[in-house]
Structure formats: structure tokens, C-alpha cells
């Protein structure tokens, strides 16, 4: 198993390196943006639908654009989550209240890598650039959640898909859906921690939250394709 994992990592690194080397450079180096949207929660107080208790989400982001296929992105988000066990058919193994509910605020800071399926941009036909492109993204981050006067911090793993559209050479519109696995069980507050009497580990019995975001971004830091230096 270790050999297979090692081989997989080597292949991924080779594909990544080759695509980075062969990709056309983007005309601008950086991108800054903002977005708003809807948040959802999955955990002890909701196991079925992300639409049961929708919340509000807002974010700001910064990208480094090495070429037209890849982007490295930092994201800072604030979102509201809520849920209630009154919506569930499950019988909880507890002698406590008839049902539990919660409201929490989560701040999420993370880094991601994005891969565009098409050469994303506006330019000459021979470059085969497209004004729109679907993309996938994955990363790593940290969640700080506050609920019922209690604050908790846990690492997280965001995974998502999105669609970008160039309104102009510098202005982009986008829509993105991400699911974030939190490696902790206190996003929904301390009362709902291990509510099903299943001990939480780093990967088991942990919380998830989603974000459906629409946003706008602006590119800057123009690259010099033909630079002439004078001593």
C-alpha cells in the first residue's frame, strides 16, 4: 500500500509539473475577489439535506495565476450555520432534552489549488483561449467556530467545483460549490459533540459544511511578455 501511495504521489507530481511547464502564462499575475452565497451544514443535527437550514456566507480571496490552467488561491470566509434534531427521524441515545438545536458562526481561512479544464482567458485564436471554463479545486485550511459562547478551532479539507467567465480581460465572474470536511466535531457547538455516543476521531464522526458562492474578481500585475532591459 505504501508503494502504491508513493507511486500515485509521483505520478500526480509529474503531471502537475508537466502541465505547469507547458501551460501558457497568464497575462496578469494576481487576482483579488469577493463573493457572497449560501451555506449549509451536515452533522449530528442534520444528516439529509444541505437546504434544510441555509445560512449566509461571504468571502474574500487572492489568487496567484502562474498560467491559464492553474491558480493558487487563498480564501477567507465567514458563514452562519444552524440545525435542529427536531427535523430528524433518528432516536438519539440520550436522556437529555427532546431535541437539540444550534446556531454558530464559522470563520474559514485556507489555501487551495484550482485546475481549469480549458485554457482560460481572452486573446488570439491560436492560443485556444476560452472566456469560460469549469474548474475543480482542493486545499487545506482551518475553521474557527463560535457557538453558545464556546470557540473551537479545527483543520479542514475543502473540495469543490466551479465555473469562471471573463467579463473583460481583467474582470471575472464565477460560481462555486464547495464541501468542507472539518476534522473536529464542534462546529455545531459543544452540546452536540458526540451526541450519538460515537467517539470522535480525526476523521470519523466529524462535521461538514457547504458553500454555494457567486463572486467577482479583478486581475492585476501585468506580465511583460517582451521585456527590453537597458543597463
Amino acid at each position: 500500500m505504501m508503494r502504491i501511495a508513493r507511486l500515485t504521489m509521483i505520478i500526480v507530481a509529474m503531471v502537475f509539473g508537466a502541465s505547469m511547464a507547458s501551460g501558457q502564462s497568464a497575462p496578469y499575475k494576481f487576482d483579488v475577489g469577493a463573493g457572497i452565497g449560501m451555506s449549509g451544514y451536515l452533522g449530528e443535527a442534520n444528516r439529509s439535506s444541505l437546504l434544510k437550514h441555509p445560512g449566509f456566507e461571504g468571502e474574500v480571496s487572492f489568487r496567484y495565476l502562474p498560467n491559464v490552467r492553474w491558480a493558487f488561491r487563498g480564501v477567507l470566509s465567514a458563514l452562519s450555520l444552524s440545525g435542529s434534531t427536531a427535523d430528524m427521524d433518528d432516536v438519539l441515545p440520550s436522556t437529555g432534552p427532546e431535541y437539540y438545536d444550534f446556531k454558530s458562526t464559522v470563520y474559514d481561512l485556507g489555501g487551495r489549488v484550482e485546475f481549469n479544464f480549458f485554457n482560460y482567458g481572452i486573446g488570439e485564436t491560436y492560443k485556444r483561449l476560452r472566456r469560460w471554463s469549469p474548474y475543480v479545486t482542493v486545499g487545506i485550511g482551518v475553521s474557527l467556530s463560535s457557538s453558545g459562547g464556546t470557540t473551537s478551532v479545527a483543520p479542514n479539507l475543502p473540495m469543490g467545483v466551479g465555473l469562471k467567465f471573463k467579463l473583460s480581460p481583467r474582470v471575472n465572474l464565477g460560481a462555486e460549490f464547495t464541501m468542507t470536511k472539518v476534522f473536529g466535531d464542534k462546529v455545531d457547538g459543544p452540546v452536540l459533540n458526540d451526541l450519538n455516543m460515537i467517539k470522535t476521531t480525526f476523521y470519523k464522526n466529524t462535521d461538514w459544511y457547504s458553500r454555494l458562492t457567486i463572486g467577482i474578481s479583478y486581475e492585476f500585475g501585468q506580465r511583460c511578455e517582451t521585456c527590453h532591459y537597458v543597463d
Side-chain angles (χ1 to χ4, degrees):
M1 291 296 292
M2 289 297 293
R3 289 181 180 178
I4 295 175
R6 221 177 268 129
L7 180 61
T8 302
M9 292 182 66
I10 291 172
I11 292 173
V12 170
M14 290 174 64
V15 171
F16 178 78
S19 61
M20 288 289 290
S22 61
Q24 302 174 30
S25 62
Y28 298 97
K29 299 177 185 177
F30 309 110
D31 171 293
V32 62
I36 58 173
M38 182 182 72
S39 59
Y41 154 84
L42 288 177
E44 279 88 352
N46 180 29
R47 295 203 187 97
S48 56
S49 174
L50 293 169
L51 301 177
K52 273 193 174 180
H53 298 274
F56 173 81
E57 186 260 350
E59 67 180 39
V60 292
S61 67
F62 178 84
R63 287 183 178 91
Y64 170 64
L65 310 171
N67 57 47
V68 295
R69 299 298 289 270
W70 293 90
F72 298 96
R73 183 183 180 195
V75 186
L76 174 62
S77 304
L79 53 148
S80 60
L81 301 178
S82 62
S84 174
T85 61
D87 302 334
M88 299 166 55
D89 297 327
D90 297 9
V91 177
L92 299 173
S94 173
T95 58
E98 183 178 353
Y99 68 90
Y100 297 86
D101 55 22
F102 81 95
K103 292 182 179 180
S104 68
T105 301
V106 178
Y107 300 95
D108 184 307
L109 176 64
R112 306 179 191 173
V113 60
E114 296 178 356
F115 175 72
N116 301 318
F117 286 96
F118 305 138
N119 290 342
Y120 181 61
I122 296 176
E124 294 82 354
T125 305
Y126 74 89
K127 292 183 178 180
R128 297 184 179 179
L129 299 174
R130 296 198 185 188
R131 297 183 67 160
W132 65 277
S133 179
Y135 67 92
V136 292
T137 181
V138 67
I140 190 169
V142 62
S143 300
L144 188 153
S145 57
S146 176
S147 178
T150 301
T151 301
S152 65
V153 179
N156 68 48
L157 178 67
M159 300 162 281
V161 295
L163 181 67
K164 300 174 182 177
F165 175 77
K166 270 199 173 295
L167 199 61
S168 72
R170 291 196 182 203
V171 180
N172 307 277
L173 300 178
E176 182 180 85
F177 176 77
T178 59
M179 287 294 299
T180 300
K181 178 176 178 60
V182 183
F183 294 99
D185 194 29
K186 295 184 179 179
V187 165
D188 44 18
V191 175
L192 292 171
N193 186 32
D194 296 339
L195 191 63
N196 296 283
M197 304 302 178
I198 300 173
K199 184 175 177 57
T200 297
T201 64
F202 185 71
Y203 62 91
K204 184 176 67 176
N205 195 34
T206 54
D207 296 322
W208 292 75
Y209 54 81
S210 67
R211 285 167 282 184
L212 179 60
T213 309
I214 56 173
I216 188 169
S217 67
Y218 178 80
E219 296 179 14
F220 63 99
Q222 188 171 13
R223 282 188 169 89
C224 180
E225 295 185 0
T226 306
C227 296
H228 302 281
Y229 297 98
V230 179
D231 294 333

